[in-house]
């Protein structure tokens, strides 16, 4: 699971409608890095759609080596180094095995082979 995906997921348990984003990340295996082709325009477009604080928090949860500013820089679209760093964290860092955890209700969604399972049990609908 890429952090691009993580930035779009919320807990959907019935009644869990406050403080259900972002989901925490618990790794059972270290995150992996799979280099991908850098796409500047895609990265620029995605920056405007990201919940920046959630993205930064998730990146820091995965690795202390990930360096992202607390706030989105005003010149972010012109800073090539910044864009490449965001692209790397957004698309190249993968969660292969672990859990996504709702900080409100505590529901844990498994991540297996890089795929988050967001399906709910019948009693959670």
């Amino acid at each position: 699971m890429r952090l691009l995906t993580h930035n779009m997921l919320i807990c959907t348990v019935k009644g869990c409608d406050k403080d259900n984003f972002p989901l925490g990340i618990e790794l059972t295996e270290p995150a992996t890095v799979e280099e991908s082709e850098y796409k500047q325009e895609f990265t620029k477009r995605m920056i405007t759609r990201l919940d920046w604080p959630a993205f930064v928090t998730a990146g820091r949860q995965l690795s202390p080596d990930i360096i992202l500013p607390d706030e989105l820089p005003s010149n972010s679209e012109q800073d090539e180094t910044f864009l490449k760093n965001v692209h790397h964290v957004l698309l190249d860092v993968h969660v292969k095995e672990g859990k996504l955890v709702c900080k409100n209700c505590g529901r844990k969604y498994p991540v297996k082979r890089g795929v988050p399972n967001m399906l709910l049990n019948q009693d959670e609908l």
Side-chain angles (χ1 to χ4, degrees), residues 42-69:
F42 175 80
T43 304
K44 284 181 182 181
R45 283 194 313 272
M46 290 313 302
I47 285 174
T48 64
R49 293 181 171 103
L50 288 174
D51 181 298
W52 186 257
F55 177 61
V56 171
T57 299
R60 291 176 182 166
Q61 280 183 304
L62 297 182
S63 172
D65 299 333
I66 291 176
I67 299 171
L68 296 167

Side-chain angles (χ1 to χ4, degrees), residues 3 5 7 22 25 45 114 116:
L3 289 190
T5 302
N7 201 262
I25 301 173
R45 283 194 313 272

